Amino acid sequence: MIKADRVVSTTCPYCGVGCNLQVHVKDDYIFKVTSPFDAVVNQGNLCVKGRFGYDYVYHPKRVATPLIRKTPQKPGERTQAFDRDEWREATWDEALDYVADRLVEIYQRDGSDAMSVYCCAKATNEDNYLLQKMFRALFRTNNVDHCTRLCHAGSVVALQQAVGSSAMSNTASEVVHNDVLMVVGSNTSENHPIIALQMKKAIREHGAKLIVVDPRRIDLVDFAELWLPLKPGTNVPLLTAMAHVIVKEDLVDHEFIRNRTEGYEDFVESLEKFTPEYAEEISGVPADDIRKAARLYAEAENGAIYWGMGISQLSHGTASALALIHLAFLTGNIGRKGTGLNPLRGQNNVQGASDMGAMPFHYPGYMLVSEEGNAQKWEAAWNIEPGGLSRELGLTTTEILTHAHPGGVRALFIMGENPMMSEPNLNETRKHMQELEFLVSQDLFINESGAFADVFLPATPFAEKDGTFTNTDRRVQRVRQAHPPRGQARADWKIICDLAQRIESRLGRDTAKWDYASPEEVFAEMASVVPDFAGVTYERIEKTGLQYPVWDKEHPGTPFLFAEFFPRGRGKFTPLDYVPAVEPVDDEYPFILTTGRVLEHWHGGTMTRHSQLNTLYPEARVEIHPADAELHGISDGMAVKVTSRRGEIVVRASVTEKTTVGVVFLPWHFHEAAANLLTIDALDPQAKIPEFKACAVQVFPARDSDLPNPDVVLERGRY
Ligand code: SF4
């Protein structure tokens, strides 16, 4: 039995649930992860990623020395260098001076619009706050974004529009107080496993009723009262038909409508055509089931809605989220414990990165960049001359790359993200990456995007740094260093401060202050300007964290929002129309492809594919329904080619009733069979989120020898 040198309490680096981890360390290696039964978020439960997925920290391919490309890269001819022989090792001084020189050269030649940065939903609040500060304060640009654009951007825009706040309204563990819960477009068991456990507990032990709205027969369907297997991309007609039933059958909470909302009359008028029969025709869900779901949710004492990417990752993601919000308004299922509108945020700190201003439209605290008063507050906080910060809205992640051309974006700094896996239509993304004049990657491994970089800055994972993450239900929690960084790797916040000082001196500007002694000081600077965090201190979040808003040092935090009013005043109804997915199926491409995650892996795979988790789930599989498989001569485990108008991959098929007829599913974690080679780059016009959940593909038999790794076979177990 190994005796730990120390046991360090920290927060899981994977999903937005934010489970507490106790990492057991011996000789500066983590050898075990546990969690205490009184952990406030997860009560001692951990999923396979949190329990076993920490070993990427010690993977031999992890980069722990600054690197510079041996061959200078030119726009249009930029290549990927995965091989370490194509890089030379550099000192930190040399690497940071080089990055500062090149960024300043491009900025002084082409101005603010040429500069851009991807912040990181896996990094801490402090890391993200500093990186957006660096680009805003020094390069005077709002071309600042991160992967929230690719996950819940539709939800964020809809919630801002309807209520004036974009976070989860309630606490995930309040699910045991729901008597009816609707889970829409969220494979919760694989993406937020501990919340799924709490949902099952609510059903088994507290008699809650579950409605699942999802094209796939996900695990939660086994626990559901009703499953509405809609065609991908038909949320708006289905959910609006539920609103139609609620209004027609007078299941409306009139007092709530009168006191708390606006726009109800126009909204009711817009419902006329959204009959359950109309929705059945479009979505494939029987009209009677739509009626039953509407009645069940509307008659609940405490009804709550939980949703995921199946709502937001569509070219009408904002409208889909609005359709859900309307249901809560109609029935008054918001503003009370055990109710609410709950977008389940994906990454460990996607909520925090958004809160910290890692977005093109907002400073920290969702303060619009275009409002003069907001800009003045941050100019004062960052010691910037009046009028110095840009008031122009910046470019989103999806737009930054499409603007990579002479006269547009020339320099991109990527902290911990991997657009060469996460963007749609990767063959196009590749061309955009090649057009960049200067690219910096700050990461752990040379991933598909870092391989394009000029300079690689080795950063630290969660186990080697201090700071905070904010989980999906707004809980700010501590991340603690378990052991020192490997090799010369440095914490992201330290790299950013060191680089910012070099840039500042080259620009000859007054200092915006970069000499922080600790992440705690960084957090305190942010909290001195953003009222939501005014009462959050490291001392107060030592044990269980605090759920913002926390208005002052005595405030206990806010488990649920909107008890008396919405931040925008009244909740706003918005009449909706049905807009189909951009690419319909046809004879050439007869299947709808929908993409997502599996339990064992995480996003582009930078962490989990360098972990023992990869041996548990080593290859991508395309799920196809038995009826479709038979028609196309496909058997379980057979190699198949999946093609779209944009690309093709070869994977094995899983023939399963988990997917529905006409719909195939692919996970997007596998670079050798990247699902995003197939996806379409159509965007939601407001949120600019791509349509990852619906495009047209063909599937036909291939040879085993066409597989990227023919010897690797998935045999999934249970953990
Ligand atoms: S549920 Fe999420 S936060 Fe919890 S252990 Fe799993 S990955 Fe980590």
Side-chain angles (χ1 to χ4, degrees), residues 12 14-19 21 46-47 49-51 191-194:
C12 180
Y14 285 109
C15 89
V17 178
C19 294
L21 306 184
L46 293 173
C47 80
K49 289 190 290 292
R51 181 87 64 191
N191 293 323
H192 299 86
I194 300 306

Side-chain angles (χ1 to χ4, degrees), residues 136-249:
R136 289 195 158 111
L138 301 185
F139 297 129
R140 309 293 164 92
T141 181
N142 289 312
N143 292 343
V144 176
D145 207 1
H146 75 293
C147 68
T148 189
R149 190 69 39 208
L150 308 173
C151 61
H152 262 303
S155 313
V156 168
V157 171
L159 284 163
Q160 285 288 351
Q161 190 176 313
V163 300
S165 157
S166 52
M168 245 176 96
S169 68
N170 288 56
T171 303
S173 57
E174 280 178 25
V175 67
V176 294
H177 300 285
N178 302 158
D179 49 359
V180 174
L181 56 147
M182 258 177 76
V183 176
V184 188
S186 157
N187 184 2
T188 320
S189 311
E190 305 220 30
N191 293 323
H192 299 86
I194 300 306
I195 294 179
L197 270 188
Q198 291 162 348
M199 288 174 172
K200 291 172 189 174
K201 184 175 179 187
I203 295 159
R204 282 179 170 143
E205 295 179 20
H206 301 271
K209 301 268 193 294
L210 168 66
I211 304 165
V212 173
V213 183
D214 203 290
R216 298 171 72 217
R217 197 183 195 293
I218 55 173
D219 166 65
L220 281 179
V221 171
D222 288 344
F223 299 81
E225 189 83 1
L226 271 173
W227 172 37
L228 311 186
L230 79 176
K231 272 189 211 143
T234 62
N235 297 305
V236 169
L238 185 139
L239 298 168
T240 309
M242 285 178 66
H244 175 103
V245 174
I246 291 168
V247 169
K248 289 289 174 194
E249 298 189 8

